[in-house]
Amino acid sequence: MVEHYNDCPHRMYECLPGKATSCRWKGRSTDILMHMKNTHVESCWMVDENCILYELNVFDGTEDIQLIAACREVFWYNFKCDVTEKKMFLAVQYIGPKEQASNFTYEFELRANADQEMSINMKNRTHPDTEKVSDIYESACCVVLDFAMLRHYVSSDNNLCFNLLVKKIVTMDSACDTKDGGSVI
């Protein structure tokens, strides 16, 4: 029963971004977006591509979780700068049936200051929401950058800015079925 519940598309979800503010909301995956828009709009993106800016010293340790509404689906955006491991982690999880997670990708783009031509681009399939974020980070099957590398891309006060894009993988079958594969909800 426990195994079924963890994969069940009708299971109850908690408000992960709201945990820090003691939000006790629970509901179905179909209700997460409305809850986030009504209660935690500052932690909810409504676009496929977003420029993320952390206006704080990321090397002091930062964790963030937000909701992404893109491609007519919802995703958890997970970000962590771990001062113990001296690494930055980023993963995007599809909210819904596990088998659907592989239908989407997330693309991470980080550029150095304008006077340098350095950039980092990474692309990965979204992870199912049934995977623990800590396991995703530990497996390094996500964006992982060590602080030594990250130092080339932060501002003088150690702020971090990058682009993140969520896309649906378009196959020949789905291209025939829809004309707006990456449209916003």
Side-chain angles (χ1 to χ4, degrees), residues 66-85:
Q66 297 185 33
L67 184 89
I68 302 172
C71 307
R72 298 186 180 169
E73 300 288 344
V74 287
F75 306 83
W76 291 128
Y77 157 81
N78 302 280
F79 177 86
K80 179 179 182 178
C81 279
D82 189 314
V83 294
T84 306
E85 291 191 44

Side-chain angles (χ1 to χ4, degrees), residues 48 70-72 166-168 170 178-185:
D48 298 343
C71 307
R72 298 186 180 169
V166 175
K167 291 169 77 174
K168 182 171 180 142
V170 179
T178 180
K179 293 178 183 171
D180 62 343
S183 65
V184 179
I185 290 180

Side-chain angles (χ1 to χ4, degrees), residues 60-71:
D60 287 343
T62 292
E63 281 192 67
D64 191 17
I65 185 164
Q66 297 185 33
L67 184 89
I68 302 172
C71 307

Side-chain angles (χ1 to χ4, degrees), residues 128-148:
D129 68 335
T130 54
E131 280 186 64
K132 290 181 182 177
V133 176
S134 58
D135 291 344
I136 297 169
Y137 292 164
E138 189 175 312
S139 72
C141 290
C142 59
V143 175
V144 181
L145 296 172
D146 64 37
F147 281 6

Side-chain angles (χ1 to χ4, degrees), residues 107-126:
E107 297 177 17
F108 170 84
E109 179 188 38
L110 182 62
R111 293 195 177 279
N113 294 332
D115 55 331
Q116 299 178 21
E117 294 184 13
M118 295 173 51
S119 68
I120 295 174
N121 293 293
M122 296 180 177
K123 181 178 179 179
N124 198 0
R125 290 193 187 242
T126 58

Side-chain angles (χ1 to χ4, degrees), residues 147-161:
F147 281 6
M149 174 64 77
L150 197 57
R151 289 196 188 284
H152 297 285
Y153 297 92
V154 295
S155 66
S156 59
D157 46 1
N158 294 326
N159 294 177
L160 180 64
C161 183

